[in-house]
Amino acid sequence: EVADEVFITETRKIPMFEHGDVVRVVTIVRDITDRKRAEEALRASEEKYRTLFDNAGTPITYVNLDGTFLLMNPVAAAALGGTPDDFLGKSVFEVNPGVADILMDTINRVVDSEAGEALEHMVELPSGVRWFYSNLQPVTEDHRVDSFYGRSSY
């Protein structure tokens, strides 16, 4: 602590040898306060995002370009008749083959145009047929679309 300010440091101690004996220790101290504050801000932001995602009253999914579910909130999973763990890592072809081709066509248009697109589609669920209105938005990384997220209502 210096002048009522708290610093977080990383310390490394390096023994210096002469003829097999430690004759001195070099200590390197580095101020990592900014990094630790940034890590804490990121953790808090991720926690807020996760809370919003998990508790949103609307189905939200995150899917890669092959149509594999990477994230799914509980509302989306419940609408499909399960929990998020039931669907993560599965393809839209496995989850709902009846609309998979339509969804993949939409994904390809979103990738090509780099612009979101909305669609209405009927989904056959264990609980019966349900119509969804979905909004698909591209997610870019390194200036290219690598996945997309979808928000639906029914």
Side-chain angles (χ1 to χ4, degrees):
E1 227 177 287
V2 177
D4 295 329
E5 200 172 332
V6 175
F7 293 92
I8 301 170
T9 60
E10 176 181 76
T11 305
R12 297 189 190 243
K13 297 184 182 212
I14 304 165
M16 305 302 286
F17 296 91
E18 284 184 17
H19 309 291
D21 296 322
V22 176
V23 293
R24 70 182 79 71
V25 175
V26 174
T27 302
I28 301 170
V29 179
R30 185 168 61 149
D31 181 359
I32 59 170
T33 306
D34 290 341
R35 184 181 84 199
K36 288 296 184 181
R37 286 181 182 151
E39 288 171 358
E40 176 56 27
L42 178 60
R43 187 203 58 73
S45 176
E46 287 174 344
E47 186 176 312
K48 287 178 189 175
Y49 164 78
R50 175 54 71 179
T51 298
L52 177 64
F53 181 80
D54 285 344
N55 295 292
T58 187
I60 302 172
T61 58
Y62 187 68
V63 180
N64 71 10
L65 298 181
D66 295 328
T68 301
F69 290 99
L70 304 175
L71 288 173
M72 179 180 289
N73 73 351
V75 174
L80 295 171
T83 67
D85 288 339
D86 295 332
F87 303 106
L88 297 183
K90 291 186 178 177
S91 165
V92 296
F93 291 97
E94 295 173 84
V95 173
N96 203 320
V99 296
D101 287 330
I102 294 167
L103 290 174
M104 291 308 296
D105 287 345
T106 305
I107 288 170
N108 290 328
R109 282 193 307 275
V110 168
V111 169
D112 291 343
S113 68
E114 297 185 6
E117 187 171 320
L119 73 148
E120 290 184 2
H121 51 101
M122 182 184 74
V123 179
E124 293 183 36
L125 301 170
S127 61
V129 173
R130 192 175 257 174
W131 279 90
F132 285 83
Y133 174 81
S134 297
N135 184 324
L136 307 179
Q137 294 296 320
V139 176
T140 59
E141 188 166 311
D142 296 327
H143 307 291
R144 67 177 186 80
V145 176
D146 76 341
S147 55
F148 75 95
Y149 74 90
R151 182 192 55 77
S152 298
S153 58
Y154 49 90

